[in-house]
Amino acid sequence: MNAMLKAFNKTQLIRSLALACLALGTSQASQADIVYALDEAPADGRLTLAADASEATLTDSAGKTRSIKLADLDEVRFGEDLVVVRSGNLKLIDNDRNQTMTRQTGKIKLRQGLHRFVVPYWQGDREYGLRLTVTGPGISGESELNGDLMRCFRDEDTKHDDSPGIDGEGFRLPELALEAGEDRRQFLSRARYRFYVGDKAMAIGNMSVLERMTLKRSGTTTAIDTGLVQDPNTYIGLVFEAFFRAPKDGEYTFALTCDDGGQLYFGRVDRFNAQGIGIEAGPQPWRAELKPANDVIGEIVGIKDDTLTMKLALGDATPAEVSVSLPQVAELWDARQDLSQVNRDNEPADQDTAYIRDKDDPALVRSVNGRITSLSDEAMSFVFRGQERTIARDRVVGMVFANSDRPKPADAGFHQSLRLRTGQVLAGKVVAIGDRVEMDLLGGGRVDLPRAALISMRSENGRRIDLTRIKPTAEEAIPYFGLAMPSVLNRSFDNGMIRLFDQNNYEQGIAVHSKSRLHYKLDRPAQSFRATFGLMDPGGKLGDVTARVIGDDKILWEQKNITAQSGAVNINVDLKDVKRLILEVDFGDGQNVGDRAAWCNPQIIYAQD
């Protein structure tokens, strides 16, 4: 008996080590949180926070723990719970982000036979592309996965067993023997696909976008690529499923190249099997933008006494009902409506604006300015030119809150933002992290979320301050000839996403045109300024600029002749004892032709207390 137990334990140990080695082929540790703390290298493990504690605990895979002050915790990317990978299977390649065509590879040891794989893919904007290739024994060179290397059942509903797992030599065992795949009466030399479409209102940025897309069609295909997509301007998603036909035992290298995000799984994946979970938000879902950074969906219970009450749809079985002070509310919109045709040009800065569907022509949306006083199941009450008016609730499309007689929202101070897999963003103070995460929302109300509903957590207004979220104390836009071009936030001058000549897109950045100077006052001891700087693609193709970081009238960093050919520059400048910061973009050798540039992810890191 003891001999049998020793043999069993040895086999289990070998299998565990084999799985660990396979995991090294992935881009990050599977099922682990990735923690970014200021002044430290990224680390993985499981992060927990006791109720109302000031320090979090990170436990690594060996069970070793360490404490991290909340003030030093910059970002947490929660473990990959979007998909549930069954025991013995793995995510081989994670190439999931907003990007241009980028290649990632992963190696895996396979026994001869048919191995089930899944490739989910999404594209958020502009061009798109997807390519999956493989090299290995029995395969001539680097080959695209095609009909010779793929199989799928003729009958989509055919059942089969999962892979038995990893054998004692570290090889993944096939779901089906090779001979089964040669039975052309049961198999096709193709892959199955599902094609989804979305819209730009979605929080495109990672694979969770597939959950909010609509299934358009499905079928089979001879290639893992985007050739079956006919509309290049659509926000799209694709999920491919098939068996890889491994002709021999050996190590195979897969390469996934995509624009934007793609992944490669081996084995059955529990999510991506259906159309998507959607968001249940009662009979009339509303999208609420709450200050400073909440973006939520739910059912409006009502507005009364300058308080908004909503039932937030957060992916749990029971919606969370919260009450929020109206000064914290920026906008409310009917989530069912297409808002692309709503004209918002006439919104005053000191009055509320209500967007109302025309009584005689429901396709026409009109705006009215005044003060929103209440909202019930039946009607919205509105003060217009000093007179109280009521409007049937079913005609209300949107509400923008800007009335100057309301108090300003309370200072958010140090807090966190949670990004959910439903695309929503919550801002508040996280008070506990375990299997569930609790947060006190800014403006009122506590939410209790399953950990699996979260993508990430970021600290806001702590030691790291994003300059895209604060207004410069002064801005200078100095033209070479003609008109000056003031800066714009988080977009290019043509309203697209900021893209530099490093082939990366940036969600956060300050787009500027030479010559520009942005002034900031540092109200406490600072440690460093960090950013990525470059000319924007394509508007800056002909540009040539000099960039400077100036502290207290002294040049701390300077680089001349930044062009499209020189690419982007990563900046990390010491700000010790600096009180005033200036970001300057000066004319280069080409005068001001094409001098469209951007400070991307510009951040000030303050010193430790």
Side-chain angles (χ1 to χ4, degrees), residues 61 87 188 214 293 308 374 466 520 598:
S61 58
S87 176
L188 298 171
T214 301
L308 165 70
S374 68
D466 294 330
Y520 299 91

Side-chain angles (χ1 to χ4, degrees), residues 138-410:
I139 298 175
S140 177
E142 183 174 359
S143 299
E144 293 192 9
L145 263 70
N146 51 34
D148 186 50
L149 295 173
M150 296 190 303
R151 297 287 186 269
C152 71
F153 287 111
R154 287 182 177 273
D155 184 352
E156 187 175 8
D157 296 327
T158 301
K159 305 297 182 183
H160 67 88
D161 293 333
D162 292 334
S163 165
I166 310 298
D167 68 15
E169 297 180 33
F171 285 81
R172 184 181 189 275
L173 298 170
E175 281 86 349
L176 296 166
L178 192 61
E179 294 77 15
E182 307 306 311
D183 183 357
R184 299 307 174 94
R185 295 167 300 176
Q186 187 180 12
F187 287 89
L188 298 171
S189 298
R190 303 171 72 88
R192 292 199 174 274
Y193 76 87
R194 292 187 296 280
F195 174 45
Y196 302 86
V197 295
D199 61 66
K200 63 183 179 181
M202 296 178 177
I204 309 271
N206 58 66
M207 198 61 67
S208 68
V209 72
L210 283 175
E211 296 194 357
R212 304 187 302 284
M213 287 187 172
T214 301
L215 182 65
K216 190 171 184 179
R217 66 175 184 270
S218 62
T220 63
T221 179
T222 58
I224 308 297
D225 59 26
T226 56
L228 54 86
V229 180
Q230 299 175 351
D231 184 356
N233 297 314
T234 300
Y235 293 74
I236 65 167
L238 287 163
V239 177
F240 298 91
E241 295 188 47
F243 293 94
F244 169 64
R245 180 183 178 275
K248 298 181 178 180
D249 294 351
E251 184 176 71
Y252 293 83
T253 300
F254 289 83
L256 183 67
T257 307
C258 57
D259 174 356
D260 287 306
Q263 295 171 329
L264 171 61
Y265 292 86
F266 269 86
R268 188 190 301 273
V269 180
D270 286 346
R271 197 67 62 83
F272 304 137
N273 284 350
Q275 179 169 331
I277 61 172
I279 300 173
E280 295 297 330
Q284 185 178 9
W286 286 78
R287 182 180 64 80
E289 181 180 322
L290 311 178
K291 303 171 186 177
N294 289 282
D295 189 357
V296 297
I297 291 177
E299 178 186 355
I300 297 178
V301 177
I303 297 174
K304 185 178 180 181
D305 298 329
D306 270 354
T307 298
L308 165 70
T309 302
M310 289 187 71
K311 291 181 179 179
L312 303 185
L314 302 175
D316 241 342
T318 304
E321 183 167 308
V322 297
S323 294
V324 179
S325 171
L326 213 53
Q328 299 284 157
V329 183
E331 302 177 8
L332 293 168
W333 294 95
D334 187 340
R336 303 170 303 175
Q337 303 299 316
D338 178 8
L339 305 177
S340 60
Q341 302 302 315
V342 175
N343 185 349
R344 300 186 59 177
D345 293 341
N346 298 319
E347 288 181 11
D350 59 352
Q351 296 184 67
D352 297 341
T353 302
Y355 288 89
I356 311 299
R357 192 177 292 105
D358 188 89
K359 196 171 185 178
D360 299 321
D361 182 4
L364 181 63
V365 176
R366 302 182 183 278
S367 64
V368 58
N369 307 127
R371 190 184 195 282
I372 299 170
T373 57
S374 68
L375 181 73
S376 66
D377 290 342
E378 293 78 28
M380 179 182 72
S381 295
F382 196 90
V383 176
F384 175 71
R385 296 180 180 177
Q387 300 295 316
E388 186 88 13
R389 310 291 190 195
T390 59
I391 303 167
R393 175 165 170 165
D394 60 7
R395 291 177 55 201
V396 180
V397 173
M399 294 167 271
V400 177
F401 298 87
N403 202 283
S404 58
D405 68 356
R406 291 196 188 92
K408 292 183 179 181

